[in-house]
Amino acid sequence: MAVVETKAAQAASEDKELLISGSEAVAEALTLADLDVVTAYPIRPYDTVMQAIAKKISGGQLTAEYIVAEGEHSQFEIVKHASTVGARVFCGSSGVGWAYAMECLVVTPPLRVPMICLVGNRALDDPGAFGVEHNDALFVRDLGWMLCWIDTSQEAFDTTLIAYRVAEDRRVFLPCAISADGAFLTHSQAITMVASKEKVDRFLPRYNRGDLLLHPDNPITVAPQANEDWVIEIRRQNDEAMKRAYTVIEEAYADFRKVFGRGPENPWFEEYMTEDADVILIGMGTISLPMKVGIRNMRAQGKKVGLVRLRWFRPFPTEKIVAALSKAKAIGVVDRNYSFGSPFASGVVANEIRAALYNSDKRPPLLSFISGLGGREVTLEDVYKAADLCYSAATSGKSDARTHWLGVRE
Amino acid sequence: MADATFSNATQVLEPFRGIKKVTIEEYFTSGHRTCQGCESALIMKLMVKAAGPRTIVLGSTGCMYVANTTYYTTPWVVPWMHTQLGSSGSAALGTAAGLKALMKKGKMKAESINVIAFCGDGGGADMGLNGISATLTHKDYNCLILLYDNESYANTDIQLSGMTPYGANTTFSPPGKVIRNIHTRWKKNMAGMMAAGHPECRYVATVCGSYAVEMMNKVRRALTIGGPTFIHSLDPCPKGWDYDPMLSHEMGELAIETGLFPLYEVEDGVVKYYGKTKALIEGRKRKPVREYLLKQGRFAHFTEEDLGYFQAKVDEMWEKWEIPAVIPFRRLDASKAALEVK
Ligand SMILES: Cc1ncc(C[n+]2csc(CCOP(=O)(O)OP(=O)(O)O)c2C)c(N)n1
Ligand code: SF4
Ligand SMILES: [Mg+2]
């Protein structure tokens, strides 16, 4: 018996290296976070995370209430309610499934429910498509959800723990959606460092609902009819919570680095070869792979191109991104989403960056690209084309008002 | 990890033996601003009185939210939370699952807490039907879903729902010169559907605020039997039905005496009729439906033809249904006869 205990104690304090997909990495983190309630509903590609959790539960590694709902609306409502009585919850969806849950996604932030979700980004049918597009997760960009994009299985594992730490902080109490590109990340395996339980416990305190706990010992009324008497003040409280999230995210990453001995200095975005870059390309998620390869090739030819891969979209790192981009001679935003009829018919990220730069003294020419929709591969040629167009803009010093669609059969 | 003290047991809530034995404490008090004579508000009060203080109530959008639960004037003494219009099933399930997870894992003191989610007829029988149905299959979670049926989307100004009676005048079905009855669908048989369709739901009942002690005792049974349960309450609504508010109880009684709304429960598959419904089963004559319908402005446009149609449908419930007024299948001999038809 004593021997077994020592072994178990050792296992709890040891990191492991596993070959796992992004979805499986999230499930590893959830197990270590001792998740309480999880709800599943099938839709590709996010559902791989639920398959992984189901195995954890049937295998006895995780004790949680695991409910297969009859639709995404219920799927999200069930965990929303579980969270109000103090349970740590997880949920997720993709594409039209996320859309089906929209009503629930709307009410979760004002209820100050720290729900964590995985959005396996997927095109919105019709026409039917399993491939990645970012429009699904972007539905919630204005609603009080924290929203981030991850790029690797390691980042999936790490960000899941960080998301709980931030969302469940009483200063924040907002939901967080972790976006992972369908197939490219949800299904692709990579070596991932899965930390020890002991480290996770040091990093992630228990969820404490505090004065908002719905329980007979704390008989509060939650979300009564408020109307014009109070709604604007409640919205403002949400706004303050989102603003506090900046500090809480910084703190969480700093602590993460201390406890786990890894993790980025800059939580908000990854910079790749940007120090001396003339042209900086910007993207989110796994698009970074062809971009990084393309950038290395272009640099071999003497073209100084760099990449900013945005991690956190909400809250948006306005000042930091302006500082990082304004030193370039031209910037090109590659959106894996669309915003029909928007200014310059751009993608969403391009217009966010345009807005962020507006007050800046130094505004490099900005080009907007749309690429990789429906899961189409973003090729090196696409990356070269974007960089070359940016170079022309750098020379002329002018933004190009058109939005360029890359790799489209015209 | 698991807490040895956790058990899935429910609270012990003995039935009240008569009105004088009902506890004095109220858990739904002043602060609400429903119409005079609102039976749904009474149902709320009786529901939590029956459940007692160790209860969490979830309420979906509708009159019992908007008119009932206003910021800074909440009438709820027990913890209460709003849920979305179609979310009563999910609210009950999620709350029960959250409590269970935490108690099982020793993260919360183990005790039995009643979980009740209520919904209107629109939120429950129309929009929330799938969620309620799913919850009634989750036998490991103790919770009650109470559908208060005022027979319209009342809060949004009285629009017809799948539970509005045939022909009723609502703001979505105004009688006109050319079309007298825009609404020609027959009301859903909600309690029967829930009982027949969910083999592991141990308790389904119908109630009416006119019979308060019976109503409370059914709530107590629903909360103590274990697993998910369902109660359908018929609530006269003076605004939507258009009658003098002082007649609410009488309207409820008439709904039962005419046989339109039967009072019964289905416990572990066994049907038991109650009160005046039981008397009807035992042979007392049903009052004609016109006595009920013509007291309400929403049927003021009815012709003899409409009244006859209505009466025939109610007669069918009692005379042709396999389990009268509960399960609408035809008797076995009738279906045998159907098989024999070439
Ligand atoms: C998803 C959604 N659709 C529509 C509404 C508008 N709405 C608010 S209350 C209500 C009426 C609900 O009717 P019912 O459930 O019968 O409750 P009652 O108002 O009759 O008490 C409606 C339609 C809403 N709140 N949510
Ligand atoms: S409209 Fe009907 S249900 Fe709504 S508060 Fe008035 S009486 Fe009650
Ligand atoms: Mg109604």
Side-chain angles (χ1 to χ4, degrees), chain B residues 4 7 19 55 59 70 105 133 140 151 198 200-201 224 229 250 328:
Chain B
S7 95
I19 191 78
T55 300
T70 307
K105 293 161 91 169
S133 174
D140 296 331
E151 299 196 316
H198 304 91
E200 290 192 307
C201 166
T224 51
T229 54
E250 189 179 331

Side-chain angles (χ1 to χ4, degrees), chain B residues 48-109:
Chain B
V48 274
K49 202 173 175 55
R54 305 305 282 174
T55 300
I56 296 176
V57 179
L58 299 317
S60 67
T61 325
C63 277
M64 293 305 105
Y65 169 53
V66 179
N68 219 345
T69 311
T70 307
Y71 201 29
Y72 279 152
T73 70
T74 181
W76 298 97
V77 176
V78 291
W80 187 94
M81 182 176 168
H82 173 231
T83 193
Q84 296 313 105
L85 183 53
S87 292
S88 55
S90 314
L93 190 60
T95 306
L99 293 172
K100 186 171 180 183
L102 296 171
M103 290 181 195
K104 228 161 80 174
K105 293 161 91 169
K107 294 184 185 177
M108 181 185 276
K109 192 180 107 236

Side-chain angles (χ1 to χ4, degrees), chain A residues 103, chain B residues 60-64 66 84-85 119-124 127 148 150 152-156 161:
Chain A
E103 184 191 27
Chain B
S60 67
T61 325
C63 277
M64 293 305 105
V66 179
Q84 296 313 105
L85 183 53
C119 53
D121 49 296
M127 189 182 267
Y148 71 92
N150 50 25
S152 79
Y153 287 93
N155 178 63
T156 32
S161 79

Side-chain angles (χ1 to χ4, degrees), chain A residues 313-332:
Chain A
F313 184 81
R314 287 291 183 268
F316 192 81
T318 314
E319 287 86 25
K320 291 222 163 56
I321 206 131
V322 166
L325 298 180
S326 54
K327 58 191 185 209
K329 296 204 175 92
I331 56 179

Side-chain angles (χ1 to χ4, degrees), chain B:
Chain B
M1 242 194 312
D3 184 354
T5 60
F6 174 77
S7 95
N8 212 19
T10 58
Q11 289 179 30
V12 177
L13 298 167
E14 294 294 336
F16 298 122
R17 309 253 174 240
I19 191 78
K20 290 186 183 154
K21 297 282 162 51
V22 173
T23 44
I24 203 93
E25 292 81 8
E26 298 291 355
Y27 304 103
F28 174 87
T29 60
S30 55
H32 62 95
R33 48 193 176 91
T34 51
C35 309
Q36 205 179 22
C38 174
E39 289 290 276
S40 295
L42 175 68
I43 287 293
M44 296 294 116
K45 174 182 147 115
L46 299 174
M47 174 185 86
V48 274
K49 202 173 175 55
R54 305 305 282 174
T55 300
I56 296 176
V57 179
L58 299 317
S60 67
T61 325
C63 277
M64 293 305 105
Y65 169 53
V66 179
N68 219 345
T69 311
T70 307
Y71 201 29
Y72 279 152
T73 70
T74 181
W76 298 97
V77 176
V78 291
W80 187 94
M81 182 176 168
H82 173 231
T83 193
Q84 296 313 105
L85 183 53
S87 292
S88 55
S90 314
L93 190 60
T95 306
L99 293 172
K100 186 171 180 183
L102 296 171
M103 290 181 195
K104 228 161 80 174
K105 293 161 91 169
K107 294 184 185 177
M108 181 185 276
K109 192 180 107 236
E111 69 165 310
S112 309
I113 295 175
N114 297 320
V115 174
I116 305 177
F118 67 74
C119 53
D121 49 296
D126 280 353
M127 189 182 267
L129 191 58
N130 53 349
I132 295 173
S133 174
T135 295
L136 294 183
T137 64
H138 282 278
K139 68 172 188 313
D140 296 331
Y141 300 109
N142 301 327
C143 57
L144 161 63
I145 296 163
L146 187 143
L147 185 147
Y148 71 92
D149 178 9
N150 50 25
E151 299 196 316
S152 79
Y153 287 93
N155 178 63
T156 32
D157 226 2
I158 321 291
Q159 290 90 1
L160 72 88
S161 79
M163 300 291 270
T164 299
Y166 170 88
N169 179 351
T170 70
T171 57
F172 275 4
S173 55
K177 284 210 176 87
V178 176
I179 304 175
R180 193 174 63 251
N181 294 323
I182 286 191
H183 175 49
T184 56
R185 295 147 57 193
W186 196 253
K187 185 181 169 95
K188 286 188 196 183
N189 175 22
M190 227 3 228
M193 176 175 16
M194 294 302 105
H198 304 91
E200 290 192 307
C201 166
R202 295 190 58 197
Y203 191 80
V204 170
T206 61
V207 299
C208 177
S210 309
Y211 307 95
V213 178
E214 178 196 317
M215 184 274 169
M216 285 189 283
N217 285 341
K218 282 175 171 167
V219 168
R220 290 193 145 206
R221 188 65 189 140
L223 290 171
T224 51
I225 194 165
T229 54
F230 181 81
I231 290 181
H232 175 194
S233 155
L234 182 73
D235 304 353
C237 158
K239 181 180 166 193
W241 299 12
D242 190 9
Y243 61 83
D244 189 322
M246 75 176 187
L247 296 178
S248 285
H249 271 38
E250 189 179 331
M251 222 50 78
E253 284 170 13
L254 278 171
I256 285 131
E257 288 165 350
T258 53
L260 208 65
F261 189 77
L263 287 175
Y264 64 87
E265 68 182 18
V266 184
E267 182 172 322
D268 290 328
V270 177
V271 179
K272 186 174 161 197
Y273 295 98
Y274 272 76
K276 287 183 181 159
T277 303
K278 188 159 169 251
L280 297 182
I281 288 285
E282 287 163 356
R284 186 190 296 181
K285 239 172 95 63
R286 278 178 280 124
K287 286 190 177 165
V289 292
R290 63 190 305 135
E291 281 187 30
Y292 170 75
L293 300 176
L294 295 180
K295 286 202 169 67
Q296 302 170 36
R298 61 178 172 160
F299 301 112
H301 60 289
F302 263 25
T303 60
E304 281 304 320
E305 189 190 337
D306 298 329
L307 292 166
Y309 177 79
F310 215 108
Q311 185 66 59
K313 291 290 263 190
V314 175
D315 291 347
E316 202 178 298
M317 268 171 75
W318 286 85
E319 290 155 22
K320 302 243 170 74
W321 288 16
E322 171 70 38
I323 302 177
V326 180
I327 298 294
F329 303 142
R330 299 304 184 254
R331 300 207 168 116
L332 208 54
D333 48 353
S335 49
K336 256 194 212 138
L339 285 174
E340 278 154 20
V341 177
K342 289 274 149 30

